[in-house]
Amino acid sequence: MRYLIAGAGPAGVVAAETLRRHDHSATIRLFCGEQEPVYSRMAIPYLLSNKIDERGTWLREPGHFETLAVDLVHQRVETVEPDHHTVVLSDGRRETYDRMLIATGARPVSPPVPGLDQPGVHHCWTLADARAIAARARPGSRVVLMGAGFIGCIILEALVLRGVRLTVLEAEDRMVPRMLDATAGAMLRSWCEAKGVAIHTDTRVQAVEPMGAEALAVHCEQGTVFPADLLVVATGVAPNLDPVRNGSGATLRTGRGLQVDSRQQTSAPDVYAAGDVCEAADWYTGEGAVYAIQPVAVEQGRIAALNMCGRPARYAGALPMNVLDTLGLVTVSFGHWSGVAGGDSVRQSDPEHHRYLRLEFDPQGRLVGAIAVGLPGHVGVLRGLIQSGAPLGPWQARLKQAPGRIAEAYVARVAGGG
């Protein structure tokens, strides 16, 4: 059996290891599109904040894949040709497969703003980006961060720890709008501002122009201009579907991402997908969704590999979950935090101490979503109670009266406490 894996992120790496564990004689080729050791993109902000060195970003140590007899190939898969069971590599070579996994992850989204292609403007997506940002993000330098979403807030902390003068520009009305509601977003903003970060929401960048020898002028729609020695763009990511769209012949079914069934198989025979590139079932609705979360990618990679080597397995569905620690303030959201049709909710807020809890229930009395700010002790029980799908019974009414009793509800309804 000959397996090809396009993409050496968490999904691809775990898939390669799973395949070797269950198929000792197969040929396994893992394609990494960068001339770097296999690394985690989510570790890059921690590299920038000097919490780790470059070795700390590596997913596996040197020699790991050789020990497993997995061929790590530093070429990018440019095109997948399902009709011919063939892929085309970035150097023009073709390789055939019996079964393959597309785990090409996501790519950063660059908004249509003139001037984003000039020196001093960087995404924070690759190790090369991190090196370029580190060279400019010196203590006291003026840095503008474009975007205050989940990834943007992780980068925000790294930049603050580097001692820069940071200005954050967010086009939406609050920070992390896909993770936090207005109350939680306002708490995160006030927390960051108290740490010396200038936050501007409802602010869209219109153009970026050079200003002097190395500086930039960041022009916004309101007419405001922010000078910068560095502009970091963190305006979201999208599934990297290029290898699918570049081909001819049979096309793989896509929505926002590459659509798969519960076995992680695409619409083409012998082609599977996992991680940020794919659109798999949501844990609650069963509808296709893209959740760019590392634990989801790892589990999907494992499930795909099991099915690729003939060991039937089904993916239970992705639970949206985000945990942020921004300059010491922990914010979390799980599941359908904005609520579901016919459901109920409760909120408890303490703005002075940056504490907030929002619980969302479905019509069957199950906890299906939550937001918590400044309550790190609730992270595990919130996830466990939502993921279990356990009916709350009388505990729904108790939580509506006292949301802070969430740990007691978990023990009673999930951990067998009665």
Side-chain angles (χ1 to χ4, degrees):
M1 186 68 70
R2 182 178 176 84
Y3 301 109
L4 302 186
I5 301 172
V13 167
V14 169
E17 294 168 341
T18 304
L19 287 169
R20 178 55 74 219
R21 190 174 302 118
H22 296 287
D23 192 336
H24 302 295
S25 62
T27 296
I28 304 172
R29 290 172 69 75
L30 176 65
F31 293 93
C32 174
E34 297 180 50
Q35 301 302 312
E36 304 276 6
V38 172
Y39 68 94
S40 169
R41 299 194 191 283
M42 291 307 297
I44 288 175
Y46 305 103
L47 171 64
L48 282 174
S49 61
N50 295 316
K51 294 180 179 179
I52 59 174
D53 58 14
E54 286 201 10
R55 193 182 188 97
T57 69
W58 297 353
L59 287 171
R60 299 294 185 268
E61 289 294 314
H64 174 75
F65 297 107
E66 289 87 344
T67 300
L68 293 179
V70 171
D71 300 326
L72 178 62
V73 183
H74 290 280
Q75 291 284 332
R76 186 173 59 254
V77 173
E78 294 282 1
T79 306
V80 179
E81 299 177 335
D83 283 350
H84 308 291
H85 277 56
T86 302
V87 301
V88 181
L89 305 180
S90 50
D91 64 1
R93 288 185 295 121
R94 277 179 156 76
E95 296 215 12
T96 60
Y97 62 84
D98 294 308
R99 290 177 187 145
M100 82 161 296
L101 174 69
I102 300 174
T104 47
R107 54 179 174 78
V109 173
S110 188
V113 173
L116 292 185
D117 57 348
Q118 60 188 304
V121 180
H122 296 280
H123 291 277
C124 188
W125 195 244
T126 65
L127 283 176
D129 290 334
R131 295 172 192 132
I133 290 170
R136 284 183 176 251
R138 297 181 290 270
S141 60
R142 300 164 300 178
V143 178
V144 172
L145 175 61
M146 184 177 171
F150 181 81
I151 294 174
C153 282
I154 299 174
I155 298 168
L156 179 156
E157 178 173 70
L159 293 169
V160 170
L161 293 176
R162 294 186 69 85
V164 307
R165 289 181 286 164
L166 182 61
T167 299
V168 179
L169 309 178
E170 168 56 49
E172 300 296 328
D173 64 353
R174 63 188 185 275
M175 299 178 72
V176 207
R178 294 185 179 180
M179 170 183 166
L180 303 178
D181 62 14
T183 301
M187 286 186 185
L188 179 57
R189 175 175 180 166
S190 66
W191 180 272
C192 292
E193 289 175 334
K195 303 290 185 180
V197 182
I199 308 286
H200 299 268
T201 55
D202 288 310
T203 302
R204 293 182 179 275
V205 175
Q206 191 172 43
V208 181
E209 296 178 343
M211 186 178 71
E214 293 188 352
L216 301 166
V218 182
H219 296 263
C220 296
E221 288 181 349
Q222 296 90 334
T224 311
V225 180
F226 297 94
D229 302 302
L230 167 68
L231 172 62
V232 180
V233 181
T235 49
V237 298
N240 180 13
L241 296 171
D242 290 347
V244 174
R245 291 173 174 163
N246 290 339
S248 58
T251 58
L252 301 177
R253 189 166 58 244
T254 62
R256 182 166 171 245
L258 190 54
Q259 295 179 344
V260 296
D261 62 16
S262 62
R263 300 167 56 244
Q264 298 299 130
Q265 184 171 345
T266 70
S267 56
D270 303 320
V271 180
Y272 296 75
D276 299 0
V277 72
C278 85
E279 186 176 311
D282 174 81
W283 134 93
Y284 180 71
T285 66
E287 298 175 357
V290 177
Y291 296 126
I293 307 168
Q294 186 160 314
V296 169
V298 167
E299 180 63 4
Q300 289 177 348
R302 187 184 72 84
I303 294 294
L306 288 172
N307 286 295
M308 289 168 71
C309 64
R311 293 176 175 263
R314 295 190 177 276
Y315 183 57
L319 171 67
M321 53 183 176
N322 293 287
V323 181
L324 268 175
D325 184 346
T326 310
L327 302 173
L329 182 67
V330 175
T331 54
V332 304
S333 69
F334 291 112
H336 294 269
W337 58 262
S338 60
V340 296
D344 201 357
S345 68
V346 62
R347 307 179 195 191
Q348 180 175 281
S349 181
D350 180 2
E352 183 180 353
H353 297 97
H354 289 88
R355 291 181 180 175
Y356 175 59
L357 183 60
R358 172 175 176 169
L359 304 178
E360 292 289 340
F361 311 96
D362 74 358
Q364 288 72 47
R366 297 174 295 184
L367 187 67
V368 293
I371 292 175
V373 178
L375 298 166
H378 288 359
V379 172
V381 293
L382 285 172
R383 176 181 176 181
L385 196 52
I386 293 170
Q387 207 160 25
S388 73
L392 290 166
W395 274 97
Q396 180 175 354
R398 295 169 190 165
L399 288 174
K400 289 200 67 178
Q401 290 296 317
R405 297 182 68 186
I406 191 71
E408 294 176 66
Y410 174 81
V411 171
R413 307 307 297 175
V414 179

